Amino acid sequence: MKTVYVGITGDIIHPGIINIITEGAKYGELTVGLLTDSAIVSHKRLPYLSYDQRKQVIENIKGVSRVVPQETWSYIPNLKKYRPDIMIHGDDWKTNYLSKMREECFTTIKDWNGEIVEIPYTQGINSTALADNAKTIGTTPDIRRAALRRLLKAKPLVRILEAHSGLSGLIAENVCIEKDDGIHQFDGMWSSSLTDSTSKGKPDIEAVDLTTRMQSLTDILECTTKPIIYDGDTGGIPEHFVFTVRTLERNGVSAVIIEDKKGLKKNSLFGTAAKQVLATEEEFCEKISAGKRAQVTKDFMIIARIEEIIAGYGVDAAIAKAFAAVKAGADGVMIHSKDKSGEDIKDFCKKFRSEYENIPLVLVPTTYNQFTEKELESWGANIVIYANHMLRASYPAMKKCAETILRAERSLEVNDMCMPIKEILELIPGTK
């Protein structure tokens, strides 16, 4: 019996996929190369179902002999590994973005006299449209909450964008560009206390009562599906932090980041930040431990934000606090600095990675923004947060629009500044 290979993502099973599998099984013993999360996220968004869940579905489809992981977007490594007699693929790859890969597959399989059978594309089925439609349905708290840990396993660097409203959340959810190395998009959202309060016209003063920020968070949760990291400020006293953890976890938030400061809040980027009082190692670790004990699921993450560098105590003090936080149960560490050179951050990353190779490391390159994501990744970063740019971009745009209307005494001059109503209707689900 001949061996047959077909590669699929398996997140949405539609008649076209069933047809490919059915036709492939007619040629011999069918092996399905199921793309892993890491293979998929290099070109598409994280699949709704985990690899194990997708594998269980595919294994139970008639005609499938076995399921193996396909670790890359390219079929080539698995073709060379399994050397099938026949590879099956839909004929739509002749004209779409996979045409170059098609040529590579034909060249590769000739090495052992294999062949490629192209199955006619199933008309009326659009996988991209199906995925888009599924996205409009939304997600569940369980799926969303687990997404950040899945992304950290699947991607070398997770890209997070600040969102302070449902509209900014939709932008973070949907915007993407295509580059030579695949699709670039944001993997999730940062719910910042600074941008949330500023968007409401209020000062950035920590409120222990989580309900003051829940409405904005709910607005984002209701119209997006990607994971959310929540800015928890200091977290308040341990008893308050326990409540915060349970509330966020229940709503499907993936992680909370708390900083090792106490007393009246002042934003870290102010020059007076060094005068703020930092929590002792014991106080900070007690809060982290209390939060971890309060968790119901294993998916939720508590990330320790270390302020020692900004407060003027140096990298070594920051490392000591970070190590203590990890030992107390922190699932990750965020290191903060307003030094434009980035040297202290780079030094911290090197020292942290010498002790912990796999603990997620979060960077917020607001002041040292000359470094690319690839450079930050080379330092050891796992998550990069663009922490306030959506709000900072929106205010000048709205101010310019308002001033232009006043100056012209009409709105004609702002037409090019404004989003067409038709695009608004297309952006917001359910308003078409």
Side-chain angles (χ1 to χ4, degrees):
M1 182 179 291
K2 291 188 175 182
T3 57
V4 185
Y5 184 87
V6 59
I8 64 173
T9 60
D11 198 32
I12 299 177
I13 304 300
H14 52 75
I17 296 296
I18 297 298
N19 184 55
I20 287 283
I21 291 174
T22 301
E23 292 299 313
K26 293 178 181 178
Y27 288 89
E29 185 179 67
L30 180 64
T31 294
V32 172
L34 185 62
L35 273 69
T36 61
D37 285 358
S38 58
I40 294 170
V41 295
S42 64
H43 284 74
K44 296 183 177 182
R45 64 173 291 150
L46 186 72
Y48 285 91
L49 299 180
S50 69
Y51 176 83
D52 289 338
Q53 290 171 326
R54 291 182 284 122
K55 182 172 183 284
Q56 184 178 2
V57 172
I58 301 301
E59 285 176 331
N60 285 280
I61 295 178
K62 184 179 179 181
V64 175
S65 297
R66 63 170 174 165
V67 177
V68 299
Q70 182 171 312
E71 303 281 357
T72 65
W73 185 255
S74 170
Y75 300 100
I76 305 302
N78 267 17
L79 287 181
K80 291 181 176 180
K81 180 177 181 179
Y82 297 105
R83 298 172 68 89
D85 298 308
I86 300 170
M87 176 186 175
I88 301 291
H89 202 285
D91 64 358
D92 56 315
W93 71 338
K94 293 179 180 179
T95 55
N96 65 20
Y97 64 98
L98 293 175
S99 58
K100 183 178 178 181
M101 189 185 298
R102 176 179 180 269
E103 295 176 10
E104 294 172 349
C105 290
F106 269 97
T107 300
T108 299
I109 204 166
K110 284 180 181 178
D111 289 345
W112 55 88
N113 296 318
E115 64 174 312
I116 294 178
V117 175
E118 296 174 313
I119 305 298
Y121 181 72
T122 303
Q123 298 301 315
I125 299 295
N126 186 321
S127 296
T128 300
L130 285 173
D132 289 340
N133 287 335
K135 188 168 60 177
T136 64
I137 297 172
T139 186
T140 68
D142 289 339
I143 292 174
R144 190 201 292 260
R145 185 175 53 245
L148 182 60
R149 286 193 184 272
R150 288 180 61 200
L151 282 163
L152 286 167
K153 290 180 180 179
K155 297 189 69 177
L157 191 74
V158 175
R159 187 185 293 117
I160 302 294
L161 181 67
E162 169 260 318
H164 55 273
S165 63
L167 185 61
S168 59
L170 281 170
I171 295 172
E173 175 94 359
N174 294 306
V175 70
C176 66
I177 62 168
E178 187 171 351
K179 301 178 74 172
D180 291 340
D181 59 347
I183 299 295
H184 285 231
Q185 58 189 327
F186 293 100
D187 299 301
M189 288 152 274
W190 167 242
S191 176
S192 161
S193 64
L194 167 64
T195 60
D196 179 63
S197 58
T198 303
S199 68
K200 296 173 180 174
K202 298 179 180 180
D204 183 25
I205 299 174
E206 179 176 17
V208 172
D209 188 359
L210 178 63
T211 58
T212 60
R213 287 180 57 196
M214 274 307 298
Q215 185 55 59
S216 297
L217 183 60
T218 300
D219 289 342
I220 298 170
L221 287 166
E222 287 181 343
C223 64
T224 63
T225 63
K226 291 183 177 179
I228 294 176
I229 302 176
Y230 182 85
D231 178 5
D233 291 323
T234 69
I237 63 175
E239 290 80 5
H240 290 150
F241 184 52
V242 164
F243 171 79
T244 298
V245 166
R246 288 176 177 166
T247 301
L248 296 176
E249 186 181 27
R250 183 171 62 250
N251 281 275
V253 172
S254 293
V256 62
I257 296 181
I258 59 168
E259 58 194 54
D260 61 339
K261 292 188 292 192
K262 62 181 181 179
L264 181 63
K265 175 181 176 178
K266 294 180 182 178
N267 190 281
S268 298
L269 298 179
F270 283 126
T272 56
K275 298 180 181 179
Q276 295 186 84
V277 179
L278 297 187
T280 66
E281 191 173 289
E282 182 180 0
E283 291 169 330
F284 192 45
C285 290
E286 178 189 356
K287 193 177 301 182
I288 292 170
S289 297
K292 293 304 295 181
R293 290 193 300 269
Q295 281 184 224
V296 176
T297 72
K298 294 181 180 179
D299 297 325
F300 189 76
M301 300 177 68
I302 296 175
I303 299 172
R305 171 172 159 175
I306 308 300
E307 295 282 303
E308 260 71 7
I309 294 177
I310 281 186
Y313 296 110
V315 172
D316 288 341
I319 282 291
K321 182 71 75 67
F323 286 175
V326 172
K327 291 175 183 175
D331 300 290
V333 167
M334 174 200 278
I335 183 61
H336 215 21
S337 172
K338 57 182 179 179
D339 179 9
K340 294 183 178 180
S341 74
E343 288 302 314
D344 49 7
I345 293 292
K346 190 174 182 179
D347 186 27
F348 177 94
C349 291
K350 180 180 178 181
K351 291 179 177 178
F352 185 81
R353 282 286 172 250
S354 68
E355 181 70 18
Y356 294 106
E357 294 184 5
N358 300 315
I359 297 294
L361 193 53
V362 184
L363 300 188
V364 188
T366 304
T367 52
Y368 51 99
N369 58 8
Q370 69 272 30
F371 298 103
T372 65
E373 292 170 357
K374 287 292 185 184
E375 290 174 296
L376 300 178
E377 181 187 331
S378 72
W379 296 0
N382 303 104
I383 300 175
V384 169
I385 297 178
Y386 298 97
N388 47 42
H389 299 79
M390 296 292 278
L391 181 80
R392 288 166 57 198
S394 65
Y395 180 81
M398 291 189 292
K399 186 170 181 285
K400 182 180 179 181
C401 177
E403 289 174 344
T404 302
I405 291 173
L406 286 175
R407 193 172 290 112
E409 299 185 14
R410 63 181 185 181
S411 64
L412 175 66
E413 284 73 13
V414 302
N415 279 354
D416 291 341
M417 302 180 196
C418 297
M419 180 180 185
I421 293 295
K422 182 177 182 295
E423 289 186 23
I424 291 179
L425 297 178
E426 292 172 347
L427 174 67
I428 309 299
T431 58
K432 286 186 179 181

